[in-house]
Amino acid sequence: MAQVRPATALPAANDDRIALFDLQRQRARLDGEIKTRIDTVLAHGQFILGPEVTLLEERLARFAGAKNAIAVSSGRDALMIALMAMGVKAGDAVFVPAFTFAATAGAVASVGASPVFVDVDATSFNMDPAALEEAVVRVAAAGKLTPRAIMPVDLYGLPADYPAIQAVADRHGLTVLADAAQSFGGELGGRRAGALAPISATSFYPTKPLGCYGDGGAILTEDETLAESVRMIRSHGRTGTGDEATVLGLTGRLDTIQAAVLLAKLDVFDLELARRREIAARYDAALKDIVTVPTIPDGSESAYALYTIRVDKRDALKEALDAAGIGCGLFYRLALHQHPAFREFVEDGLPVSEQLTREVLSLPLHPDLTDPEVDRVIEAVLDASGA
Ligand SMILES: Cc1ncc(COP(=O)(O)O)c(C=O)c1O
């Protein structure tokens, strides 16, 4: 078993429910390290762009194998700032998978561009490169929007098929921006999320594999010019600390206390990823003949932000797990085109995404889940499935 050092005292559980996420156990385990780092920030008082932010950016870039990491205020802001730095604007089409969190399309619409929904692959749940090619050709032929960028999502922590997606991008002169909000720590072909596309955005929302204690995110890129634009945009469009706004910007910085929390967590992140994968393997082995378990292609590693199964009678299984005290979640109950907020971008022909909304169920997975707890989840799934 991967050694995630246990907390000396776990917070008392008020019942024996197994939570989908449990941040308090991790907090108890890392309590001393986190408090020491936060105390340092309180003492020096540089709450915005303090030294911890610079150190975090260096360590994130090294971890991912990317040239630049720029820490920002959230995953959604990371996407939006990246789109602004790329010059994406009204009249542009940005191709996004239809099965993802609303923030993916929201970021595109927020810069005035139009998200174009692309169906996903039924096995990986990630953007289907063949459907992408068709969508780009269709939008170009219609002539109303200019195809401009592709935003694949690494759903549940599994990197999208970047080689195939980059090939489509190259054929049509588009830029790839990875929505790696769920996949920091994931890998493809020996490279880590954050270094799989020319520019990537990730999230440090508390329940993400690497999460802070508030909102946070980062942009990673090889491109120095884009990195410089991102630094300006996250800080009111200014160069450095000067007061002149060179470009349109926003309040998009990660605050120093969040950077301090992330530095403490980054020290144990590899161990936590190993524990996530160990738990996933335990679920796989026990459940693979009963439900559809995640498929991880050769050469890929998931960061297991979520462990998501597919099952026909999903709602009945969720009810049974709820009754057995097992926390589980529906990610996602709606495909993007089914959200009222995106009505103006609605399209037909997204059958895989629609089917997944009826069949997916995420089971508890976090690095502090114990083997007996994993076994209790497994037993509850087997019981509910009559196996
Ligand atoms: C795929 C995806 N994109 C974007 C985001 C937005 O990240 P944040 O919540 O940090 O703004 C999330 C977060 O849940 C996400 O899962």
Side-chain angles (χ1 to χ4, degrees):
M1 169 180 148
Q3 287 303 305
V4 173
R5 181 166 52 82
T8 42
L10 288 179
N14 43 18
D15 58 32
D16 64 351
R17 280 188 66 81
I18 298 177
L20 179 61
F21 307 111
D22 186 336
L23 297 176
Q24 286 306 342
R25 289 187 187 182
Q26 186 202 42
R27 193 199 54 74
R29 175 164 51 83
L30 300 177
D31 198 46
E33 291 85 345
I34 290 173
K35 281 184 177 154
T36 305
R37 287 196 181 265
I38 290 178
D39 280 347
T40 306
V41 179
L42 296 178
H44 68 55
Q46 294 176 62
F47 298 117
I48 299 294
L49 298 183
E52 284 78 5
V53 175
T54 311
L55 180 59
L56 177 71
E57 291 179 338
E58 284 165 17
R59 289 193 51 194
L60 291 173
R62 208 177 324 133
F63 183 92
K67 226 184 236 161
N68 298 278
I70 302 113
V72 298
S73 40
S74 72
R76 189 187 189 283
D77 289 350
L79 291 169
M80 214 177 125
I81 293 171
L83 289 164
M84 288 165 80
M86 289 157 62
V88 174
K89 56 183 187 318
D92 288 343
V94 178
F95 298 85
V96 301
F99 190 60
T100 175
F101 185 53
T104 306
V108 174
S110 295
V111 300
S114 299
V116 176
F117 306 133
V118 176
D119 213 354
V120 296
D121 176 84
T123 306
S124 68
F125 305 167
N126 280 331
M127 182 184 263
D128 177 349
L132 170 66
E133 172 74 31
E134 276 172 32
V136 175
V137 169
R138 175 170 43 83
V139 169
K144 282 195 196 133
L145 297 168
T146 309
R148 183 70 174 70
I150 304 168
M151 231 165 87
V153 174
D154 304 338
L155 205 72
Y156 309 141
L158 177 69
D161 186 351
Y162 287 98
I165 289 169
Q166 190 61 53
V168 176
D170 291 345
R171 258 197 305 283
H172 298 279
L174 311 178
T175 305
V176 180
L177 159 60
D179 180 345
Q182 302 181 7
S183 63
F184 199 71
E187 294 177 31
L188 171 68
R191 302 179 73 184
R192 279 181 152 159
L196 295 171
I199 182 162
S200 305
T202 195
S203 165
F204 301 130
Y205 185 81
T207 54
K208 292 289 191 268
L210 181 66
C212 56
Y213 289 160
D215 281 309
I219 293 159
L220 297 105
T221 180
E222 295 305 292
D223 185 319
E224 297 293 345
T225 312
L226 274 180
E228 204 36 51
S229 300
V230 165
R231 283 193 190 94
M232 284 199 281
I233 294 166
R234 80 166 165 181
S235 199
H236 307 292
R238 299 172 305 169
T239 313
T241 51
D243 68 349
E244 186 184 47
T246 317
V247 294
L248 205 59
L250 39 90
T251 312
R253 300 158 300 223
L254 181 78
D255 70 68
T256 313
I257 288 180
Q258 299 305 338
V261 172
L262 289 166
L263 282 169
K265 293 196 182 189
L266 202 48
D267 285 340
V268 295
F269 189 46
D270 270 320
L271 284 174
E272 291 191 347
L273 285 168
R275 178 65 186 147
R276 283 177 183 273
R277 288 174 188 143
E278 205 172 58
I279 294 168
R282 200 173 181 96
Y283 279 142
D284 286 349
L287 299 177
K288 66 179 183 339
D289 297 329
I290 309 294
V291 298
T292 306
V293 298
T295 303
I296 309 299
D298 283 348
S300 291
E301 290 279 8
S302 178
Y304 283 110
L306 291 164
Y307 183 90
T308 304
I309 58 172
R310 259 184 93 170
V311 55
D312 284 344
K313 294 185 178 141
R314 190 270 313 276
D315 292 342
L317 177 57
K318 181 170 188 316
E319 235 173 73
L321 292 181
D322 282 341
I326 312 285
C328 47
L330 304 184
F331 303 99
Y332 295 93
R333 206 175 43 81
L334 296 174
L336 289 183
H337 60 295
Q338 297 169 326
H339 288 267
F342 304 127
R343 200 168 280 137
E344 67 178 295
F345 307 110
V346 161
E347 283 160 55
D348 299 328
L350 299 161
V352 180
S353 298
E354 287 180 15
Q355 192 175 349
L356 290 177
T357 64
R358 296 187 291 269
E359 296 184 357
V360 290
L361 185 67
S362 301
L363 302 180
L365 195 155
H366 58 81
D368 293 282
L369 205 59
T370 64
D371 285 350
E373 286 174 324
V374 176
D375 292 343
R376 236 187 84 199
V377 177
I378 290 169
E379 269 166 41
V381 175
L382 296 180
D383 277 356
S385 313

